[in-house]
Amino acid sequence: MAKKEKTPNKKTNYSSYWLYGLIAVFFISMSYFNNSGVSKDQRINISTFERFLNDDEVERVLVINKSLAQVTIKDDALQTSKHKKARSTDFLGRSNPGGPHYEFEVGNLEIFQTKLEEAKSIGVEFDYDFKTVENRWLDVMLSFLPLILIIGVWIFLMRRMSGGGASGGGQIFNIGKSKAKLFDEKSNVKITFKDVAGLEGAKEEVQEIVDFLKNPKKYTVLGGKIPKGALLVGPPGTGKTLLAKAVAGEAKVPFFSLSGSDFVEMFVGVGASRVRDLFKQAKDKSPAIIFIDEIDAIGRARGKNNMTGSNDERENTLNQLLTEMDGFGTDTNVIVLAATNRSDVLDKALMRAGRFDRQIYVDLPDLREREEIFKVHLRPLKVDTKLDTSFLAKQTPGFSGADIANVCNESALIAARKNKKKVNRQDFLDAVDRIVGGLEKKNKIITPSEKKTIAFHEAGHATVSWMLEHAAPLVKVTIVPRGQSLGAAWYLPEERQIVRTEQMLDEMCATLGGRAAEQIIFGKISTGALSDLVKVTRQARAMVTVYGLNDKIGNITYYDNNGQSEFGFTKPYSEETAKQIDEEISKIVEREYKRALSLLRKHKKKLSELAEHLLEKEVIFKDDLVSIFGKRPFEKEKAAEEKDKTSPTKKAAKST
């Protein structure tokens, strides 16, 4: 028996303002109908009325409320051209032979009555009468006006209290309704999987979920079951939310999107109520997908950081989410997608199979993936035809997808600032410098002595990194202030999956080269090495306490990958061990500092030459270092190794 398709409930765009408008029109109409219907053209003054009266053309005069006189003209006089406008006195323009035909303000009632009596006395035939008319509708409106004002103010305050305009009616009685945005076939979501560059593994798994909802029989015929949920995990800016947007654009099923903070409210029980309402809506429209961005807002481990012992509203929300995802009666085709960059703090019950069956790790893009991302973001830009995307990818190691999008946008702004018609290579390099180092501050006042110190500091970094095998190769050095730094150096680090001890030590030594140069040249040190010291101390601490790269402490790590250490009040090691850790960190840093001093003393002459060159030009590049120091011997060795690695492959390819 074929399954009967559910017809989705069409949401009517109903506004309460239409009702208010209709009520207003009704009252205005009633008030209008109670008026005489005499138009402005038939309003006369009292002298005109006296002329009509003297000509014996008046049949009847009716004085209303002692102020307004309505005049009815005789039938024979009405046919004359003088009273042409008075023949149609109805407000719709219809003939009104029965009158009244004219009206005017009486003024002094006693004088007016006297004039009427005088006209009667001289033989003018007409009738006159006095009448009091009450506008009942107006009276009713005026009587209810205070109540209407009170009700209006109350509705306004209630809408404001509940964050008026929000989904669920925006009223306080609907505060427990879900705030999820619904995307379906009618929604204009233009993002597809073609717009998601790189992320091949993650994209494949997400596409499989979408395919399951589109073609469930393909999987169920083999006995497979639909996964309950998929968790997107990864650093910020790697494309987790973009993947979800692509799912919304590709899936031909209802897609509910909301943030984890949308469940949080100041009222007790609101979060759990919104979870229930969200899943109810999704079940009514199943098959459907629910996407919760930043799920760590409600999914943190329970029982932690609960100092008062009271009932936690966030825990109630999480409990309801756990029940809805995998409880009794959860047999509908509803898949939950979630994204977070703090998977370590999520509750274990949320992470188990049956709730989030799949954890999809979205990592930072590698060289090939960065090139693909550049191609996506370069589509809307007018770029130079000679622009090499592979070169751009090599210049941006460690950049996320969001960073690359920012680079492309910033390059377009820089090109527009220079009145260029196309974005070229230099614009992209300037954009990378702008994002990494900050904005140039050429007008910043720096004394000559400070400038000289900065030049030798940056030259020290460049010299030491050039002489060490595992240090990152230099790209550019500048003494022009950028952002919060007085000088900056750009390196092109090697993309490594694992880092060895000697590589970390070489990087630390190169970082300390700036302070070491100040010590050798001036015999003094300054506060300019603060960022260097922070970086070095962090690296040394990681070597000792995280990676187990210290001989004295041994192969021990104090890193807690469950994310529970932030809730603890005690260190996972003794005071004696803490003292040893501090000593070993200090030894590592001081040893690399002495090593940097030794290298710079050995190449002091070239250091001074490089610093003077930097003072002269303010910006130097890799070619300048080659002219002073010559080529790095390590680069020759690496080139030979790469050649040896590729040669067997080439031979094999030829043999086949």
Side-chain angles (χ1 to χ4, degrees):
M1 186 177 178
K3 188 178 177 181
K4 190 178 179 181
E5 295 183 358
K6 294 182 180 180
T7 56
N9 297 325
K10 294 184 178 179
K11 188 177 179 181
T12 56
N13 295 325
Y14 172 76
S15 176
S16 58
Y17 295 107
W18 284 102
L19 179 62
Y20 302 150
L22 289 173
I23 293 172
V25 169
F26 175 75
F27 279 111
I28 292 169
S29 303
M30 291 298 103
S31 177
Y32 199 93
F33 277 116
N34 275 276
N35 290 332
S36 63
V38 178
S39 65
K40 291 182 180 180
D41 295 335
Q42 282 80 50
R43 289 176 184 170
I44 59 177
N45 52 33
I46 193 166
S47 60
T48 305
F49 167 72
E50 289 177 359
R51 190 169 65 249
F52 293 164
L53 193 64
N54 294 330
D55 293 343
D56 197 16
E57 295 177 344
V58 177
E59 183 179 338
R60 190 168 182 270
V61 179
L62 181 64
V63 181
I64 298 174
N65 296 336
K66 301 179 180 180
S67 61
L68 183 69
Q70 293 182 345
V71 182
T72 303
I73 305 297
K74 293 179 179 179
D75 292 340
D76 53 348
L78 194 63
Q79 303 302 320
T80 61
S81 59
K82 182 168 65 174
H83 300 288
K84 184 179 179 181
K85 292 182 179 180
R87 295 173 195 167
S88 96
T89 57
D90 197 356
F91 74 98
L92 295 176
R94 295 173 297 189
S95 178
N96 186 22
H101 303 114
Y102 298 99
E103 67 179 22
F104 61 92
E105 296 289 336
V106 171
N108 192 314
L109 183 61
E110 293 182 1
I111 298 173
F112 181 69
Q113 190 175 359
T114 303
K115 288 181 180 180
L116 293 178
E117 293 292 342
E118 290 175 356
K120 278 272 196 182
S121 62
I122 60 175
V124 179
E125 295 183 1
F126 67 97
D127 297 326
Y128 71 91
D129 196 5
F130 296 88
K131 187 178 179 182
T132 302
V133 178
E134 296 180 358
N135 193 337
R136 297 186 179 277
W137 286 106
L138 184 62
D139 294 340
V140 170
M141 286 178 64
L142 291 174
S143 62
F144 280 99
L145 185 61
L147 181 61
I148 293 170
L149 289 174
I150 292 171
I151 293 172
V153 171
W154 183 80
I155 292 172
F156 174 76
L157 291 175
M158 291 300 102
R159 291 177 70 90
R160 292 291 297 243
M161 285 175 63
S162 61
S167 60
Q171 301 197 15
I172 196 167
F173 305 108
N174 296 319
I175 197 170
K177 299 292 183 181
S178 170
K179 293 185 176 182
K181 295 180 180 178
L182 175 61
F183 301 92
D184 51 17
E185 297 178 359
K186 300 177 182 179
S187 302
N188 190 18
V189 182
K190 297 180 180 179
I191 297 175
T192 61
F193 286 123
K194 293 180 181 178
D195 301 312
V196 183
L199 310 177
E200 296 300 329
K203 192 161 59 173
E204 186 179 343
E205 292 205 42
V206 172
Q207 279 179 315
E208 187 178 319
I209 293 173
V210 175
D211 188 49
F212 192 101
L213 291 173
K214 287 183 178 179
N215 308 304
K217 291 183 180 179
K218 178 182 174 183
Y219 302 89
T220 54
V221 73
L222 300 174
K225 292 183 179 179
I226 186 170
K228 293 291 182 63
L231 183 65
L232 301 172
V233 183
T238 50
K240 299 183 294 294
T241 307
L242 183 65
L243 266 176
K245 288 181 179 178
V247 172
E250 290 277 352
K252 303 300 181 184
V253 297
F255 186 92
F256 296 87
S257 174
L258 75 166
S259 173
S261 60
D262 290 336
F263 296 106
V264 182
E265 195 64 62
M266 62 179 289
F267 302 109
V268 177
V270 169
S273 176
R274 286 177 178 173
V275 171
R276 285 192 295 269
D277 185 67
L278 171 63
F279 278 85
K280 182 178 179 298
Q281 292 181 37
K283 289 172 185 176
D284 292 340
K285 295 181 179 289
S286 65
I289 299 175
I290 296 172
F291 174 64
I292 306 174
D293 202 3
E294 307 296 342
I295 195 173
D296 52 278
I298 59 168
R300 287 179 176 266
R302 292 166 292 178
K304 307 294 184 183
N305 206 21
N306 194 357
M307 301 293 296
T308 61
S310 60
N311 193 16
D312 192 359
E313 172 64 14
R314 182 181 54 78
E315 289 190 6
N316 292 340
T317 307
L318 176 58
N319 291 336
Q320 187 63 45
L321 179 63
L322 296 175
T323 305
E324 294 289 347
M325 287 188 69
D326 189 19
F328 287 102
T330 54
D331 55 350
T332 52
N333 292 341
V334 177
I335 294 179
V336 182
L337 282 180
T340 182
N341 48 27
R342 295 294 310 279
S343 62
D344 54 328
V345 302
L346 295 180
D347 196 276
K348 291 181 180 179
L350 191 65
M351 304 286 287
R352 75 161 176 83
R355 291 193 173 105
F356 284 111
D357 301 281
R358 297 183 177 181
Q359 292 186 38
I360 306 170
Y361 190 73
V362 186
D363 203 357
L364 290 171
D366 56 17
L367 182 62
R368 182 185 56 82
E369 290 175 335
R370 287 199 301 274
E371 187 175 350
E372 292 179 6
I373 295 170
F374 264 111
K375 289 178 181 178
V376 169
H377 292 294
L378 289 176
R379 287 176 195 165
L381 301 183
K382 293 182 179 178
V383 297
D384 192 357
T385 53
K386 298 179 181 178
L387 186 66
D388 186 11
T389 53
S390 61
F391 170 77
L392 298 178
K394 290 176 183 176
Q395 298 300 312
T396 52
F399 276 45
S400 65
D403 295 331
I404 293 173
N406 193 20
V407 167
C408 294
N409 183 62
E410 195 69 36
S411 63
L413 297 179
I414 291 171
R417 201 178 298 133
K418 297 177 181 178
N419 297 319
K420 294 182 180 179
K421 294 187 177 179
K422 289 186 177 181
V423 186
N424 57 22
R425 171 175 169 175
Q426 188 57 46
D427 297 325
F428 280 95
L429 293 176
D430 292 342
V432 173
D433 294 347
R434 167 73 176 83
I435 292 169
V436 175
L439 186 66
E440 280 191 354
K441 298 180 180 178
K442 294 183 179 180
N443 57 349
K444 195 166 187 174
I445 300 172
I446 300 175
T447 62
S449 61
E450 287 178 337
K451 195 172 184 179
K452 189 176 180 181
T453 303
I454 297 167
F456 274 96
H457 184 100
E458 298 300 334
H461 286 306
T463 303
V464 176
S465 64
W466 195 260
M467 296 300 169
L468 295 175
E469 181 181 358
H470 302 292
L474 184 79
V475 176
K476 176 182 175 182
V477 180
T478 178
I479 57 173
V480 179
R482 280 182 174 271
Q484 296 182 347
S485 60
L486 299 175
W490 282 263
Y491 301 91
L492 199 60
E494 183 183 349
E495 296 187 55
R496 309 179 182 122
Q497 299 299 323
I498 57 172
V499 183
R500 294 186 174 88
T501 307
E502 59 270 19
Q503 294 170 340
M504 293 188 73
L505 293 176
D506 281 1
E507 289 178 3
M508 292 170 66
C509 185
T511 307
L512 292 168
R515 170 162 283 196
E518 293 181 34
Q519 178 69 40
I520 291 171
I521 301 300
F522 305 105
K524 302 174 184 177
I525 56 177
S526 67
T527 59
L530 175 61
S531 60
D532 301 332
L533 296 178
V534 171
K535 181 182 176 182
V536 169
T537 306
R538 189 183 294 120
Q539 286 178 318
R541 184 170 293 279
M543 287 180 66
V544 177
T545 62
V546 177
Y547 299 116
L549 299 177
N550 183 260
D551 294 333
K552 192 169 183 179
I553 301 299
N555 301 317
I556 296 174
T557 182
Y558 299 106
Y559 173 69
D560 186 8
N561 61 352
N562 293 323
Q564 307 302 324
S565 59
E566 61 179 338
F567 304 107
F569 297 97
T570 58
K571 295 179 180 178
Y573 43 79
S574 64
E575 291 296 329
E576 185 180 350
T577 306
K579 187 178 178 181
Q580 289 180 352
I581 289 171
D582 292 339
E583 289 175 356
E584 292 302 311
I585 292 171
S586 180
K587 283 180 184 178
I588 293 172
V589 174
E590 292 303 319
R591 186 170 64 244
E592 294 309 311
Y593 181 65
K594 290 176 182 178
R595 187 181 168 202
L597 287 172
S598 174
L599 278 171
L600 291 175
R601 287 194 182 101
K602 187 178 178 180
H603 301 90
K604 186 176 179 181
K605 187 178 179 181
K606 292 182 178 181
L607 169 67
S608 301
E609 186 180 348
L610 182 62
E612 294 297 331
H613 194 60
L614 189 57
L615 280 168
E616 182 184 351
K617 291 189 174 182
E618 289 191 337
V619 181
I620 61 174
F621 298 90
K622 183 179 179 181
D623 296 337
D624 298 303
L625 269 76
V626 173
S627 63
I628 296 173
F629 296 99
K631 289 188 176 182
R632 297 177 74 189
F634 319 111
E635 292 183 356
K636 296 178 182 178
E637 294 174 5
K638 286 181 181 178
E641 288 177 5
E642 290 177 1
K643 190 176 180 181
D644 293 337
K645 288 179 181 178
T646 55
S647 56
T649 311
K650 290 180 179 178
K651 290 178 181 177
K654 287 180 180 179
S655 63
T656 54

